[in-house]
Amino acid sequence: LSRIMKSRGIPRISSPYQLRNGFHIQGSVPISGDDRFLDIYGKYVERHICPVSVYKQSPYYKGPVLDMIRQAVGPEGNLDSILTNWEPYSLDYKGCFCARCGVEFARYHKLSAESVKKDWPRNIIAKYGKKWVEFRSWQHGRLCVTLEKDINALGKKAGKDSHFIPEIAWSQLVESD
């Protein structure tokens, strides 16, 4: 079916199962170490990657994650673009609470590392509510931009015009505080 669609100029757009919902991004190798997305209690959120690992392009991201994307949009891949179910709102007012995200939060808001470290992670949302949400939005934006650039570049190498298309819930476009 994919070959027929390609031969007729019909774009092939779908989603690899390992790439969805904002931070559920996993290559063929399980996520470990600093690449793990940690909840507010320091517990690893299964199959979720720290956003810093994506936009700073950690070895895990550049290896297993980009390999998974390459298999989808590369020369042998069946996709032209990646459209994926994207519901990061399941993590609203949450986020990754690893040490790297704490450093990034302090840097983003120009806060002293000591004051953030003192409240990290359990008191951050209570103390910095709106700043936390603003930071998480910025982080998520950087993650999406990184995915778009990398998907586009991998597709170009295969002679395709490939893009990252996050399929978001309409409510995210109309709700506000």
Side-chain angles (χ1 to χ4, degrees), residues 20-158:
R20 66 183 188 281
N21 295 338
F23 307 97
H24 185 148
I25 302 172
Q26 181 172 313
S28 59
V29 176
I31 300 169
S32 64
D34 287 344
D35 294 305
R36 289 178 164 211
F37 186 105
L38 304 180
D39 69 13
I40 200 164
Y41 303 105
K43 184 179 176 210
Y44 170 53
V45 180
E46 195 71 29
R47 293 180 298 279
H48 284 57
I49 193 170
C50 170
V52 176
S53 294
V54 175
Y55 63 77
K56 289 202 172 180
Q57 301 201 331
S58 74
Y60 180 81
Y61 175 78
K62 288 170 79 174
V65 173
L66 287 184
D67 287 346
M68 175 262 300
I69 292 170
R70 191 176 294 106
Q71 287 174 15
V73 298
E76 304 301 317
N78 289 328
L79 300 180
D80 296 306
S81 288
I82 293 177
L83 174 125
T84 184
N85 188 30
W86 205 252
E87 300 174 11
Y89 60 81
S90 64
L91 297 167
D92 280 357
Y93 301 100
K94 298 175 188 160
C96 182
F97 289 93
C98 73
R100 291 184 310 160
C101 284
V103 170
E104 289 279 298
F105 175 71
R107 186 179 301 137
Y108 177 79
H109 282 295
K110 297 176 177 66
L111 300 168
S112 81
E114 297 80 34
S115 70
V116 169
K117 199 171 192 175
K118 183 174 55 172
D119 291 309
W120 191 262
R122 298 223 176 139
N123 297 321
I124 286 297
I125 296 172
K127 186 170 181 178
Y128 296 103
K130 285 192 182 273
K131 285 184 177 195
W132 177 249
V133 171
E134 180 185 324
F135 166 71
R136 295 283 295 127
S137 294
W138 170 82
Q139 252 193 340
H140 186 238
R142 289 205 52 203
L143 179 140
C144 288
V145 166
T146 301
L147 288 170
E148 167 60 18
K149 285 180 180 177
D150 289 337
I151 289 168
N152 186 258
L154 290 169
K156 275 187 181 163
K157 285 182 182 176

